[in-house]
Amino acid sequence: MSDQSLAPARRKTGIPGLDRILDGGLLEAGVYIVQGPPGAGKTILGNQACFHHASEGGRAVYITLLAESHSRMFGHLRRMEFFDESKIPESVYYVGAFSTLEAEGLSGLLTLIRGIVTKKSAGLAVIDGLVSAQESSRSEREFNKFLHEIQVLADLTRCIVILLTNAERQSGFFPAHTMVDGVLHLTDELPELRPLRHIRILKLRGSGPVRGLHSVRISDRGIE
């Protein structure tokens, strides 16, 4: 039996260029953090991956921890070519979990996520607004336990989980980075009046990613 046959299965994101950088895609049952400042393209990346997964016959869930309504988000997404409203809610299911997080904390949020992923038999789950969960935790230990339970859920269901967060530190490192399978860092800069977007793979467990800064373009086709 070859080493290749023992390798975990990968699923493509469907985002042009990204799967090549990721050494073929994301590992099945992997948990990934996508971080960056507002406007860097995190929400577009998460939705684009969901609709690609749906186009391949899978089911995806998109869980928001933000106060922004889904109707407002859909208003921005409708101009994107990948957005297919006919896939909602059967293949791409949206859940607002902001009120659950506020009322029941991380334990209530975890129960909601488990229930939705299991009920929908989702192969991909995007949690948008991880920083809200981090700010709601009573300690770093509690937040790390939450991430551990997300990893256990991913292992049990074979679901890929993508965590979107605005959180940044000057060092660019979080203790949570050690607990996940990969960290993708998006940037949106304006050096010398020239807008530049990049993506950098800070960590990709079990993979050989293409290192360095990679240019990102956002258009009506989504992220490229």
Side-chain angles (χ1 to χ4, degrees):
M1 185 177 291
S2 67
D3 291 341
Q4 186 66 27
S5 65
L6 296 173
R10 290 183 184 273
R11 297 180 189 165
K12 294 185 179 299
T13 65
I15 297 172
L18 181 57
D19 292 313
R20 184 172 64 85
I21 294 169
L22 294 174
D23 195 23
L26 301 176
L27 293 176
E28 185 179 82
V31 178
Y32 299 88
I33 289 177
V34 177
Q35 67 180 35
K42 300 182 299 297
T43 296
I44 294 176
L45 185 151
N47 278 282
Q48 194 169 347
C50 283
F51 281 96
H52 173 75
H53 186 69
S55 72
E56 296 286 298
R59 290 183 176 181
V61 295
Y62 195 101
I63 302 165
T64 57
L65 304 180
L66 310 171
E68 182 183 48
S69 67
H70 290 158
S71 60
R72 182 182 292 270
M73 182 168 63
F74 293 161
H76 297 309
L77 290 174
R78 282 191 179 96
R79 63 180 289 181
M80 299 290 176
E81 291 180 6
F82 65 79
F83 184 73
D84 182 357
E85 205 153 356
S86 69
K87 298 289 187 183
I88 305 170
E90 184 60 32
S91 299
V92 183
Y93 190 76
Y94 288 84
V95 182
F98 181 73
S99 59
T100 300
L101 177 62
E102 281 201 318
E104 303 176 35
L106 290 183
S107 61
L109 175 62
L110 187 59
T111 299
L112 182 148
I113 294 170
R114 281 179 182 145
I116 293 297
V117 169
T118 303
K119 181 179 179 180
K120 296 297 179 182
S121 300
L124 174 65
V126 175
I127 302 175
D128 192 349
L130 183 67
V131 66
S132 297
Q134 190 169 16
E135 290 171 350
S136 297
S137 64
R138 291 168 293 187
S139 65
E140 190 168 285
R141 178 185 177 87
E142 183 186 37
F143 181 67
N144 288 341
K145 183 179 178 182
F146 169 77
L147 288 181
H148 172 72
E149 293 299 327
I150 292 293
Q151 182 70 73
V152 170
L153 175 65
D155 286 336
L156 290 174
T157 60
R158 310 311 296 169
C159 179
I160 294 172
V161 180
I162 299 176
L163 308 168
L164 309 182
T165 182
N166 290 336
E168 291 191 76
R169 292 180 180 173
Q170 195 164 11
S171 65
F173 171 79
F174 296 86
H177 286 180
T178 63
M179 303 185 64
V180 297
D181 297 290
V183 180
L184 287 65
H185 184 73
L186 290 166
T187 65
D188 183 14
E189 302 169 344
L190 193 66
E192 299 180 0
L193 301 181
R194 290 184 58 207
L196 296 174
R197 300 178 191 270
H198 292 100
I199 189 168
R200 180 185 174 198
I201 311 303
L202 300 183
K203 172 184 177 180
L204 203 63
R205 190 176 287 162
S207 307
V210 181
R211 297 173 61 85
L213 289 176
H214 305 278
S215 297
V216 171
R217 178 174 60 188
I218 299 178
S219 68
D220 289 350
R221 288 180 291 185
I223 288 183
E224 300 175 270

